[in-house]
Amino acid sequence: MKSPLIIHLEEYMGAKMPEIDAVTQETTNTSNGMAGKLAQGAMAAGLVILYKYSRSIDGAEYLAQTAPTDLNLSQLLNQKHQVLVTQLAGYAGSSDIQANTMLSAVVREAMFFVHQENKNHRDASAVQTYFGNQRQAILGHLPPELGLGDIMKDDTLDDRTNKMEGPISSIAHAIEDVFSSSGTSRKD
């Protein structure tokens, strides 16, 4: 089931998020054209970037307190910015400039939506909880061809079990949610 955030981004970008078959890891409903593939890849990558950055309390505070137009992709990605942009461009068959522009637009629009959804609770905890609740939906649309697990040094991003759905998988994901924290806390 798609989350409201994914539905919003699909409407905003005019493209559907790719769907991943959990068994074969094959991507379905991908666009054939460069613009559609770039939009699909940027939506998946942008949401993963925001999810990963929201896991630390400092990252979640930055996302909660920074206006979406002021978000800095280099800060969100640290030294991985150019690598991810180049990987996205290769995935879509676009230039790095086009990939960076699309990725920035997705991140900005996603955070506009998150701020609107959490308008009464714009703090780090709310951002961590929001993205923690979106994790399954995000990972279920992440094309393995993007190779974000390697770039972000997180094998769980490309793990097949994150893309599985059904009664048994739902139970496993529910247990996973119980034992996973909303993020990390600051050690003062």
Side-chain angles (χ1 to χ4, degrees):
M1 186 165 134
K2 290 185 181 177
S3 72
L5 175 58
I6 289 175
I7 292 168
H8 173 76
L9 283 178
E10 286 179 338
E11 290 171 359
Y12 177 77
M13 299 299 289
K16 295 285 184 197
M17 289 276 289
E19 294 175 11
I20 313 306
D21 183 297
V23 177
T24 64
Q25 287 290 95
E26 291 185 20
T27 307
T28 60
N29 80 326
T30 56
S31 293
N32 292 329
M34 184 273 295
K37 255 191 126 148
L38 181 57
Q40 288 181 323
M43 284 188 285
L47 290 176
V48 167
I49 291 165
L50 293 170
Y51 165 75
K52 291 289 290 176
Y53 202 74
S54 73
R55 299 300 79 204
S56 76
I57 195 73
D58 291 335
E61 269 184 22
Y62 175 76
L63 293 175
Q65 301 305 319
T66 304
T69 54
D70 295 334
L71 289 173
N72 182 336
L73 267 183
S74 292
Q75 180 175 339
L76 297 178
L77 287 163
N78 203 2
Q79 291 88 15
K80 302 169 189 124
H81 182 189
Q82 190 54 50
V83 173
L84 191 140
V85 166
T86 300
Q87 184 77 8
L88 177 59
Y91 169 77
S94 71
S95 71
D96 283 9
I97 292 171
Q98 290 169 313
N100 190 58
T101 301
M102 187 72 75
L103 188 59
S104 296
V106 166
V107 167
R108 188 173 48 249
E109 186 61 27
M111 284 313 300
F112 272 123
F113 186 81
V114 171
H115 283 186
Q116 186 63 31
E117 289 283 293
N118 292 316
K119 62 184 165 200
N120 295 327
H121 304 286
R122 278 208 20 215
D123 60 12
S125 176
V127 169
Q128 283 187 321
T129 300
Y130 188 85
F131 279 106
N133 291 338
Q134 301 296 312
R135 179 181 184 274
Q136 192 57 41
I138 292 168
L139 295 182
H141 290 87
L142 178 60
E145 301 90 354
L146 276 175
L148 287 186
D150 289 336
I151 294 170
M152 307 291 275
K153 303 292 185 233
D154 184 350
D155 293 337
T156 64
L157 295 178
D158 296 326
D159 186 1
R160 288 176 190 241
T161 59
N162 286 315
K163 295 167 177 57
M164 291 183 177
E165 294 181 11
I168 301 299
S169 297
S170 295
I171 293 169
H173 293 310
I175 292 169
E176 178 181 87
D177 290 344
V178 168
F179 287 104
S180 69
S181 67
S182 61
T184 58
S185 59
R186 185 180 290 131
K187 292 174 179 55
D188 293 323

